[in-house]
Amino acid sequence: MKIVVLLTFCLIVVSSTAQDLEGKWMMTKEGDTYIIPENLVLEISSDTLKFFSFDTLKSTIPIKIEKDKIISEKQVSFIEVINENRFKIKSQGTVNNIDGLISTEYVRLIPTKTNLSSEEIQKLSFQFNWRDDMFTVIFNKELGDPQLLKNIGLSELIKMNLEKINLTYFISIYESGTRKTVFPIKEVSKDRMILYGTPDEPYEIVGEKVE
């Protein structure tokens, strides 16, 4: 398993304007990557950079934006812009207890397109195909063998919840009561759901409704 500890970065060199960076960004990750803080979300504004573990604020640093730079005090990180809603940064961090320059990728959090209420979404189920691996999203239901749960002393194995940051809905996957993985929802209707924030192209997964 790849374990990544991200340190507060202090200078970002980018090829876009400061306005392009403002907003909230979620770090993408492979399934075997453990991030500290977990489910990292950045909020960038003109004078502040905030670090969240999903929706829990972990730290804040003051910054100054000059043209294509965000300047703080201690470190230097560089950005590779992929598109207007996605970029990579190289910053100081730790991988498997080894300090060095690591590359991480971020996707912009955008409002979920839907005409459904939270209650209506949670009554629906969707089936997805990701890298030829089929999985079904079923909200608010323990997924696992009850006897196995009892034998290993857990209250639950896996549970999928619908959560929200500002105007963005997420599928949050909990293991034994702890949020482990999140997928932002680009669009959801009664017939299909589109997830984004995946680490590889096409950067989206389309799921069809199942009964």
Side-chain angles (χ1 to χ4, degrees), residues 22 44-49 60-65:
E22 290 193 358
I44 303 173
S45 64
S46 61
D47 59 0
T48 304
L49 181 60
T60 302
I61 62 171
I63 59 173
K64 180 174 66 173
I65 298 178

Side-chain angles (χ1 to χ4, degrees), residues 9 21 38 70 77 91 93 109 122 137 161 169 177 187:
F9 59 84
L21 292 177
E38 210 163 9
I70 297 178
S77 295
S91 59
L109 296 184
Q122 291 177 79
V137 170
N161 291 348
Y169 280 110
E187 180 181 326

